[in-house]
Every structure is written in C-alpha cells, then in structure tokens.
Amino acid sequence: MQKHFKKIRLVLALVFFAAFLVSFADFRGNMPSRWHSAILYLQFVPSVIKFFTPLAVLSLGFIVVLLLTLLAGRVYCSTICPLGVLQDFFIHIRLKWMPKKGLRFKQAHRVLRYSVLVLALISLLFTGVLVFNLLDPYALFGRMAANLYQPALGWTNNIIAKLIPASTLHAVKINTLHLASVSFAGGSLALLIYLSMAYERLYCNSICPVGTFLGLLSKISLFKLKINPSSCTQCGKCQSVCKSNCINIKNMHIDESRCVNCFNCIPICSENSITYKKSAIGLAKKPVTSSDGGRRLFLATTTAFLAAKALPVFAVNENKSEEEHEDKICFFSRGPIAPPGAIGIDHLKSSCVACHLCIAVCPTKVLQPSFLEYGFTGMNLPKMDFAVNYCNYECRKCGEVCPTGAIVKLEKEQKKLTQVGKVVLRMNKCIVETEATACGSCSEHCPTQAVKMVPYYNGLPAPEIDPSICIGCGACEYACPVTDPHPAIFVAANTLHVLAEKPKQEALETVVEEEFPF
Amino acid sequence: MKRRDFIRTSVGASLASGALIGTGALNEAFGSPANLQNSYDLVAIKGGEPDTMFMMAIAELGCMGRFVKKGQTVVVKPNIGWDAPPERAANTNPKLVGKIVEQCVKAGAKSVTVFDNTCDEWTRCYRNSGIEKAVKDAGGLVVSGNDQSKYRKISLPKGKSLKTAEVHELIIQSDVFINVPVLKNHGGATMSLAMKNLMGVVWDRGFWHKNDLHQCIADFATYRKPDLNVIDGYNVMKRNGPRGVSVQDVVNMKYQILSADMVAADAAAVKVFGLEISDVAHIGLAEQLMVGTSKLDTLSIKRISI
Ligand code: SF4
Ligand code: SF4
Ligand code: SF4
C-alpha cells in the first residue's frame, strides 16, 4: 500500500494545481466565487490573515493544515502548495534532462530558515504583511499566474481566434502588462526555476516561512517516514530521489522538518526499508540539535505575530479623520484608489499579500497591480486604474474571491453605497465649456447620477456633481474624452472608505397620453 | 421617394443573394404592387406587450418576409450597453429582440446575429439584460462587440464633423440590418433613439464626444441606413439616462415605432417621450444631410392602439 503513496500524492497535487490554473484563468470572473474560495481554502498564510480580519472569523483552513501537519507531516508542501508543486515540476525536468546528476543529502540551513521566519513575524509590527507579500508561496505563485500565465493564455486564445476564424473563440482583451509587476513575477519565476533546478527544494526549506513553520510542527507529527536500520543496506537510492535533500544515509536518518512527504523514497527502496509509520506522540527521540533553539525563538515570536496582526485592524477602526474634499485636490496627487471592500488603505496594507487573484478575476480589469503608489509597504497591492476601465456597479467579485480578507465581501446594497473616492470636476477642461458642444459622457456612465447634466447655456447641458452620493467607481473619469493631460472629471481617493448617501429618487408621474402625439 | 429608396435596396439585396429566384417566394415576399402602395412609412403602436405589438406592427409593413429574404444574413443591433436587468429599461426589451430574431429566422434568414459595443463589461451586459438568452432561444447568435479586430475603417463623404469611423464588419457585410434601440432619456444627447443607437456599431466613440456629439450622430447616419428601425418604447427611462439609477426612472408606456426612416422614427419617438423634435439637435442635423424626414405630417403613418 505504501508503495502507492507517491502516486496518490501526485494525483492530488495535480488536481490542486489544475484547480489553481483554472482559478487564475477566470479572467472575466465568470466562475462562481465559492469555487475560488474552496480552491484557496487551505492556503495557509491567506487563511491565517483572514482569520484576523473583521467579518471573516470563520476562516479555519489554516487549522485544518495545522492538524494535517500534526498528523501526517508536511503533506501541504507537496500537494496543496501551488509553488511546491511547481518546483517539483522543474525538479522533474532537471532530473529527466540530467539523469546522472541525482540528488543527495545536504545540511539544513538552520540559521537562515529560522531567521527568515522570525524576521517575517517581527516585521509584521513595522511593515504590515510586506514580508509575507514577498515570501509567501501562494502570493508568489498568484503573481506569476496573474501576470504571466493569464496573459499568455489570452494571447494563445487570440492567435487561435485569428488563425481559425470559424472557431468559437473570439479575441479577448488582455490585461495591460505592467513593467513592475511583470518583471517582479518574471524575476521570481526565473529565480524559482534556477533554485529548484540547482538546489531542489531549497526555497521551501530555508526561505519559505510556511515551510519552516510546518517543518517545526512536523517534528512532532504522528506519522513520519523512518528508515529501518536493520534492513537498510545504505545503497543510497532513496537519497538520490529526495527533493528535500533530507535523507542522511550515513546515519540512516530522515530530517522530518525538511521532509515534504513526497513519498518518492518508499517505492525506490528495494529492501522496503522506508516506511511511513506512527511514532510516539511528542518530540522525536533523535538527539536535540540547534533547531530546538529555533523552536523556542519561534514560540516567542508567535505572540508578536498575533499582536501585530491584530494591530492594523484596530488602526482602521480608529478612523483617521476623513480628508476634506477640496477644490485643491489635483489629478496627480489624488492618491491610489483601493477597491470597494478594502475598507481603507490601512486595512488593505495590513492584510493583502498581493496574490493578484482579484486582479486576475476582475471582469472589467479596472483592478491593476500597483507599484509603489501605496508606498513601499504596500508594494504590488491592487489599485483601481480608471484609465483602463471602471468598477462595475453590480459587481462584487474581488471581495468574493480574496482569500486574505484584504477585500471583504460586501452585501449587494452595501457595495452600491461604498465610497472609495469622490468625484472632482474641472469645468475649465470640460468640452461643454471649451468647445461649446454637447458631451455628457461622464453622466451617461454614472450609475448614481452623482454627475448629472443640467442646462448650461443655449440649451447646452453641462455636468454638475454631487460628491455626497458619488461612490468613486470611476465611470465618469474613464468615459471623459478629455486628455490634456488628464480627464476633466476624476476621482480622488478616500483613504478610508465610507458610505455614500443614497441617490435621492422622487417618484415619476406616470401619465401616458391617450392619443398619439403626432 | 424615401419609400422607393428602401424598396430598391431590398430588391438589390435579394437579387444579390440569388436565393429567391424560382422559389415562388417573390410574390409572397413583396406582396402585389397594390399592397405596396398601401404600405406605410411609419407604424406606431401602443398598449400591448413588446412581442405582440411587434407582430401587429410588422404585419402592417408587409411582414418580416418583406425585409428578410431566404438565405440572407441579418444583423440585429439592440441597445445592450449596460449591466442592468430588463425592468430598468437601460437596454432594449429582451422579449422584443427575441421576437424579431425569431421572425427573421422564420423568414428564412441564413443567420441572425446580434451584438452591441457595450459600455459596461460586455458578457455581463449580454447576460443580465436577458438579451443573450432571448436571442439564443429564438435561434439567433450573439457575438462580442468588444473585439477591435472585427472593426473596419469606413469613410463618410457626407459627414461634416465625422469623416471616418471604425465600423463592425457585421454592419458592413450583412444583407439586412435591423436597428432596435430603446427609447430613453440621455444626459448628453438629450434622447437616445435610432440614430444614437448606431454609436454601438462603431469602435472609437471618444472622438464623437470630443467633436460635436450631435453632428457626429447625424454624420454617421449617412453611412448605412438600417433596413428597418424598431424603437422600443415599452418601458421608457424618463430621466437619469442612458444608464438610469433605479426602476423609479422608468415609466411603462407600452409604445413601439417601426420605420425604415431613422429620422422619422426618431421624430415620432421624441413626441411620444413628450419633447419637441427641435429639442434633439441631431434629428434636424440628420435631416439636413438628407438622411430622412422629420416632417411627420408628410408621411403615411399607421397608428394602432391595443
Ligand atoms: S486583495 Fe487581491 S491581491 Fe490582495 S490578497 Fe486579496 S485577492 Fe490577493
Ligand atoms: S467590484 Fe469593481 S474592482 Fe472589484 S472585481 Fe468587480 S469591477 Fe473589479
Ligand atoms: S460621479 Fe463618477 S465616480 Fe462618482 S459614482 Fe458617478 S461615475 Fe462613479
């Protein structure tokens, strides 16, 4: 039976990975949001962060992962983690390509791995989730998927649509590529390919904070891989297939903190010496090494983690007094606009790991990756870009899919009143003023009629704004034909989102003439 | 004279398709000459459901067979600009669109295709307007209007402000073009009617807003005149158009206007809405460009109340 563990793991990993690819391919947000949630439910870091955001206390995926690890070791790392599976793929290619250069035992980078974990936790106090944004495997994978894989799919689609006009495919609009986020994703992919081909699961066992943390837990997991010293011939075959370089054949020991439970070693052993079996609950019998110090350090910082994660959320509630909406606001200093459900820029920064799933599924593509607009600690976070499109009045997709609770799921009516920014009109740039011709493109697109056409002169209608009912969707800005050098109407960010007033609606008199009017 | 124009294009189109010859459908399709003389320039109908009104009105014009011949390709252009449900009347009524498609299919059309270059994200507009489903159920096809590669540059020699435009290839290539706007208030263009609805077959609309919107609407109307215009006045958005804020902007007026003349149809629709023809500048501008006539008293009009 244990001989089949490897195959079972492989099938599960492929299923999970395929689900991720489908999830990030959903460029119009047509897939039901609960599917996205189900696929992402077990992602460790997002689930932990979500647990600490308001309105999302039922995010228990990470507890499932904790229990799973306590029971079975780091199965997460070779089945559930998309970046882990991706690395296995590259390792596989490298082994096919250079079959002679097998794998071998290497010493663990203890200092490095525990320092990274500790630093990541401590940094929560100062930089929000930035370090997780940069190091979390799911976030890294998400950015590669959203910024490289999705556009590649789109191009493939468009080429096929062009070559075979009769096919049911039609050309689709591909998300704008941003130099910063594409090079970021491309750079991390290149690095990952290099690391995995040259050093196998080095990232997982020395950099990834999730890997290090689950590694600590798997030291006390119930089931572990063990070498039976009485039958082992020390032939070293197991060592040559171990992606974690954690089988030390000299002393016939497997470093369970680095083992990702890929089970490659079980079927390769001709003596059936390696078995996955129940060990005494509690600490390993193995002589204690310096990693114990790591564990102590870890426990100490966990407290810091919890405290830090809770802080920014309270900061949001403290309510920075809302900036005044003044005539002074200029297009270039209006600030980055966070999507509806992000509560405010502080909340977004404190919880978003920049996986770009929201950007991938936003049906209008108004959501775009930022670079440093939110500041250094808000690197890569999603922002609304009204040069690309505007936020659909009826849509709540980003909040429905966000796995970290950085964008919370809003109720339908709540979304339609959530004000992410306020409209500013520069009449001296408006076409009705400068050209004295009709336009009204802004009002045409405005879902709340916060910008309305009112009689101006010579019967010409001109826009008039009411920022109190504006929700900052950006439709007016997107639709405004003026470009010199920016639209005549635009949205200035609300640092903290608020509720707009309901558009006032009087009943219409509904008399329809009896006679034809002509 | 307008009517003769219209007949000429129909004959041309059907001969080109060649499908009619020897089928004996010719008589049925055109009716006898006597019938033709009885045909109206414009039919206005009120008081019924969108689909029944259409059936009664089109009968007065000699049935769908007069516009669509066997084997022809048909493009139907409703307004599907907004991600809004049918009752908000931001888009053309799906029942009406479905009925028109069904009648085209019955008349033997080779294909009936429906599209709009929407304002909101197109798949949502198509779905939530109910039009996608109505068209599919009736045997038609919906295609994206959001694919720039399907637009071709055309020139408008008669245009004053708009000299060229990028037009969807379906409008250029289809044998029959049926324009199905919804009657509504419009912040920028005062009213959204048949001519305004044609903005949804072009790609670059920003230019129109920048360069005298009303003139551009009139200029574009000199391009390809639809073979038939059906203005949907069933639910009418009286204010906050063209998008509307809620159902409170909508009045259930139960009107429908059919004509091959866009200017005449628009003029009649403006009156139904309760404005004067002169309030909507592009109607007069189009008339100057000989697109059609807004002098409703010179036309033969059939009025039906249900
Ligand atoms: S806000 Fe977007 S990028 Fe950030 S965690 Fe949520 S889905 Fe990922
Ligand atoms: S709510 Fe707005 S920003 Fe979010 S996915 Fe929908 S359109 Fe995009
Ligand atoms: S004024 Fe502009 S930003 Fe505000 S609700 Fe209207 S379209 Fe959206």
Side-chain angles (χ1 to χ4, degrees), chain B residues 31 40 163 256 292:
Chain B
Y40 301 100
K163 300 279 181 202
Q256 207 172 92

Side-chain angles (χ1 to χ4, degrees), chain A residues 27 32 44 63 79 103 139 173 183 186 336 353 356 375 378 428-429 449:
Chain A
F27 71 105
F44 193 76
I63 295 187
T79 36
L103 310 172
K173 210 163 125 198
S183 16
V353 292
H356 292 185
N428 59 347
K429 286 188 178 286
Q449 288 303 298

Side-chain angles (χ1 to χ4, degrees), chain A residues 138 339 348 351-359 367 380-382 398 401-407:
Chain A
Y138 162 70
L348 188 69
S351 334
C352 174
V353 292
C355 69
H356 292 185
L357 178 64
C358 52
I359 295 171
L367 271 191
N380 289 327
L381 304 199
C398 48
V401 302
C402 177
T404 69
I407 308 178

Side-chain angles (χ1 to χ4, degrees), chain A residues 28-30 161-162 165 170-173 363-364 389-397 416 431 435 437-441 443-449 452-453 461 475 478-479 481-483 503-518, chain B residues 42 44-46 82-85 88 119-124 127 144 146-147 149 186-190 196 206 208-214 238-253 255 257 268-269 271-272 296 301 303-305:
Chain A
R28 242 179 234 134
N30 282 337
K162 199 155 199 131
H170 54 76
V172 295
K173 210 163 125 198
T364 67
N389 213 327
Y390 55 93
C391 179
N392 183 303
Y393 194 48
E394 308 285 332
C395 175
R396 295 172 291 154
K397 196 77 195 176
K416 292 184 181 175
I431 276 168
E435 311 285 324
T437 58
C439 175
S441 200
S443 161
E444 183 175 324
H445 284 71
C446 178
T448 60
Q449 288 303 298
K452 243 186 146 65
M453 300 309 282
Y478 169 77
V482 176
T483 48
K504 317 164 229 347
Q505 287 275 60
E506 294 122 47
L508 272 174
E509 58 338 324
T510 54
V511 260
V512 182
E513 293 288 323
E514 273 303 303
E515 289 303 308
F516 282 94
F518 46 82
Chain B
L42 188 143
I45 182 165
K46 69 180 170 79
W82 306 100
D83 177 6
R88 288 258 314 273
C119 296
D120 282 339
E121 199 278 319
W122 71 275
T123 54
R124 292 194 174 233
R127 194 179 334 126
S144 159
N146 194 39
D147 175 358
S149 70
H186 195 287
T190 317
K196 174 75 181 62
W208 298 37
H209 282 283
K210 269 196 248 184
N211 296 277
D212 194 348
L213 182 61
H214 284 290
K238 291 287 271 185
R239 63 174 181 212
N240 292 336
R243 186 189 225 289
V245 175
S246 73
V247 280
Q248 290 186 39
D249 298 326
V250 176
V251 177
N252 185 225
M253 293 184 78
Y255 258 96
I257 291 161
K271 290 252 174 183
V272 168
L296 295 176
I301 297 179
R303 299 170 182 83
I304 311 167
S305 292

